[in-house]
Structures are given as C-alpha cells and as structure tokens.
C-alpha cells in the first residue's frame, strides 16, 4: 500500500504567476520520502548523515496535470520499488485534496542508487531500506 503524505502549498512554493514552481514539486515529493522513512522507523538524522552509505538521486522527472496554488491541500502518494540490487525508484502521485479531492495534479519519479559514501562506488541496498520498500510497495 502506498504511503500518503498530506501537505498544504505555501506561498513560498509558488512562482510569480501564483502557481507552484516546477522544482518545488520535487521538494514536496522529497518531504513525502522523508516522512515515509520516519514512519517506517528509520532515524532520519542517522540515515541522511551516515558516513558509510548514501542514496543519491540519479534521475528525476515530473509531469504536471493541473496547477497548484498557495493554500491548496495536497495528498502525495509514494510508492517505492527496487530496480536492481543497488537501485530503487519512487513514484509519486500528487492529488489535490479538500474540495478538489482526487484530482491528479502531478506525477513524479526519482531514481536512487546506493553507494559507499567514501569510495563513491555502488553497494547493495541496506536491510532497513529493503524493509521500507516492502512496507509501501504495491
């Protein structure tokens, strides 16, 4: 079952036209990713400052379907999936909530690789991450 994260669009998320600035959708998706890690029991401070392992994003994309404005309530559904022994991807579905509930606003994708933080070489995904994926995978 996907992880669901609810967030209100803030004025600072918007551009001069009053709609969410395209890059900020990825920032909101990353918030959902962090919230899902925490919900599965992963210590965020230890995860993101681990001197031995890192999970950089190697690809990101967003498709937009509807404008999002300051004050809109969003529901971001996150579904992770293992791609290889050292890679995973996350699909994000961004829906408008509240009075526009269920209307798709955007879809995003991030692909990550697991690396040794010192040598910058690929390594197998950690057990914690595998458990996180199995919790929210479809």
């Amino acid at each position: 079952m996907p992880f669901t994260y609810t967030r209100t669009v803030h004025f600072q998320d918007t551009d001069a036209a009053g709609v969410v600035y395209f890059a900020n959708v990825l920032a909101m998706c990353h918030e959902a990713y962090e919230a899902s890690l925490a919900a599965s029991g992963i210590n965020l401070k230890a995860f993101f400052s681990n001197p031995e392992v890192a999970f950089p994003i190697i690809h990101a994309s967003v498709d937009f379907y509807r404008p999002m404005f300051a004050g809109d309530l969003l529901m971001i559904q996150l579904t992770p999936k293992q791609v290889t022994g050292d890679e995973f991807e996350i699909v994000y579905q961004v829906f408008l909530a509240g009075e526009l509930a269920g209307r798709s606003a955007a879809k995003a994708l991030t692909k990550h690789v697991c690396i040794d933080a010192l040598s910058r070489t690929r390594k197998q995904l950690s057990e914690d991450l595998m458990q996180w994926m199995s919790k929210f995978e479809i």
Side-chain angles (χ1 to χ4, degrees), residues 1-4 33-42 78-82 126-138:
M1 177 187 298
F3 176 79
T4 301
Y33 168 47
E34 292 177 33
S36 73
L37 291 170
S40 69
I42 293 176
L78 167 159
T79 307
K81 176 183 158 190
Q82 184 174 357
S126 68
E127 186 58 35
D128 283 351
L129 207 57
M130 298 293 286
Q131 289 176 1
W132 164 76
M133 278 189 281
S134 68
K135 186 171 185 175
F136 301 116
E137 217 171 19
I138 292 180

Side-chain angles (χ1 to χ4, degrees), residues 43-64:
N43 178 305
L44 295 181
K45 184 174 183 177
F47 183 82
F48 287 112
S49 63
N50 188 331
E52 297 176 10
V53 66
F55 303 95
I57 294 173
I58 58 173
H59 174 82
S61 63
V62 182
D63 293 317
F64 298 92

Side-chain angles (χ1 to χ4, degrees), residues 79-98:
T79 307
K81 176 183 158 190
Q82 184 174 357
V83 177
T84 65
D86 57 13
E87 288 185 21
F88 67 97
E89 65 183 28
I90 307 169
V91 174
Y92 304 89
Q93 297 282 346
V94 182
F95 297 98
L96 294 168

